[in-house]
Amino acid sequence: MGQYTEEIERRRTFAIISHPDAGKTTLTEKLLLFGGAIHVAGAVKSNKIKKTATSDWMEIEKQRGISVATSVMAFDYAGHKINILDTPGHQDFAEDTFRTLTAVDSVIIVIDVAKGVEAQTRKLMEVCRMRKTPVIVFVNKMDRDGKDPFDLLDEIEEELHIKVRPLSWPIDMGQRFRGVYNIYEQKLNLYTPSKQYVTENVEFKDINSPELENYIDPAQAEKLRMDLELVEGVYPEFDVNTYLSGDIAPVFFGSALNNFGVKELLDCFIQIAPSPRPVQAIERVVDPNEDTFSGFVFKIHANMDPNHRSCIAFVKICSGKFERNVNYKHVRFGKMMRFSSPTAFMAQKKEVVDEAYAGDIVGLPDTGNFKIGDTLTSGEDLHFKGLPSFSPEMFKYIENADPMKAKQLNKGIEQLMDEGVAQLFINQFNGRKIIGTVGQLQFEVIQYRLLHEYGAQCRWEPISLYKACWIESDNAAMLENFKKRKAQYMAVDKEGRNVYLADSNYVLMMAQQDFPDIKFHFTSEF
Ligand code: G4P
């Protein structure tokens, strides 16, 4: 027990992830309503990027700018402090989401009952699996017709590679949706369309009692009994530890729009979801309950206004207590710094805070001192692991279009990469710089920002690449041989690590076959 343990253990820091349109924003908003953090529906516009504007990245940046305020939404509920970390909806900013996932202790995945598991959810779940992040699944839009729940659960298990355990069960769906049986609380939650809230919430321990027919029609009652029998037969008993170890995902059904099933989700969430978990630093494991402060920068949000080139560095507090105007060590610089206006994010407001605890996020105004992954501590030299870069999906050579501004260009590229806008690889064969991104928009963002913030002009030239793989091997001779054979495709990343740029899936497969002692990694952390 540390002196702040009580504060820290009541914290629940998590992210809601979904494929765009599954209902993340709607669910977030309903959770905020329960927390009393907002009072009217429609108050959260969040990070939602309007579909019509997908090609207009300035518009998206503007919305991202607005979304700084909603980057973290904190509220109190039933004695707990809840921190919801928002993630960008647009897939071109998936890298932002990956990094946000390094700062949460658990995740809620929203799945649209009609659409099932979609591409982006699959990708984000990979990150959760890698980190063993506990996840809860919320199947949304039960007021619409969708997939059979058993089929959907099979799909989730198969596509997301995680075992599931339903903790509520729907009574029909679409027009005939009658509600859910809450297995976790043994309650019948009845749904009336056209009403905004759960109409009835009935304690119902014995589902075989004929009283069930007083609430729902006989055919639905019979089906529910059969379904529940099957559920108990097919799925293992719910065990909170397998959830906490990331091996099983409890599933809830509901309709965020109708505020149905949301409170049940939240009530279960605060009971089972983890409080801040120990974090692995290179030097040692850091326990959140330690009295000394430590934290790391997981996201940097730049102000797009060229006249105010300032950023906010988002710090996840890993241990102890953070205080305003106290000196902390910026480990990479080895120097002490203090912060006079750290901000916290209460619901929709950003305000200066005097203190924050492990599990919380503070925003530090920054003028270029931080890069992603930087550690702040009370004095100890710690380096937190767990901020991997993922292989980008798009690559372009970046060239200087204004020879007089080479210095500005290099500085701009370096700073934008530190901010995590994209990844830089330097080809060892021809010395050219390659920028890798997860989406086309980032190239436009980089070009615009280089010009407006650094006065530098760049030009993109095509390069056809499939993936960037970080390589390593215990077999030094084979590694050397590989580097020689693939000289044209060898690059180094920002940290100087060896990266192989494979130009097709086939070539990559052949390389893996021909060089069995070399490990090919698709993330920078292995
Ligand atoms: P996202 O953040 O995951 O992208 O999704 P968002 O919450 O914005 O929801 C996407 C659309 O799905 C919205 O409709 C929203 O109203 C709707 N929706 C969310 N939950 C439910 C639900 O439980 N049932 C039904 N039927 N619809 C739901 P939209 O028309 O795209 O947006 P809007 O104009 O209503 O804002």
Side-chain angles (χ1 to χ4, degrees), residues 18-27 45-46 48 51 89 110 112 138 140-144 254-259:
S18 74
H19 193 83
D21 265 357
K24 179 166 71 78
T25 311
T26 313
L27 180 63
K45 270 297 155 229
S46 179
K48 194 164 179 215
K51 273 167 240 136
V110 183
D112 180 329
F138 183 73
N140 191 27
K141 307 197 185 180
M142 291 307 297
D143 58 315
R144 291 214 185 138
S255 166
L257 187 64
N258 295 292
N259 208 346

Side-chain angles (χ1 to χ4, degrees), residues 36-53:
I38 54 169
H39 300 285
V40 285
V44 180
K45 270 297 155 229
S46 179
N47 261 343
K48 194 164 179 215
I49 311 290
K50 288 188 205 78
K51 273 167 240 136
T52 49

Side-chain angles (χ1 to χ4, degrees), residues 127-172:
V127 183
C128 296
R129 249 199 336 269
M130 240 170 65
R131 307 178 52 81
K132 298 226 139 252
T133 309
V135 304
I136 295 180
V137 174
F138 183 73
V139 178
N140 191 27
K141 307 197 185 180
M142 291 307 297
D143 58 315
R144 291 214 185 138
D145 283 321
K147 302 188 177 193
D148 171 76
F150 284 109
D151 291 347
L152 184 62
L153 295 183
D154 285 351
E155 182 179 325
I156 294 170
E157 289 199 329
E158 225 162 84
E159 301 261 336
L160 298 183
H161 305 285
I162 184 157
K163 293 261 163 253
V164 299
R165 196 336 162 167
L167 288 186
S168 80
W169 195 258
I171 305 166
D172 235 322

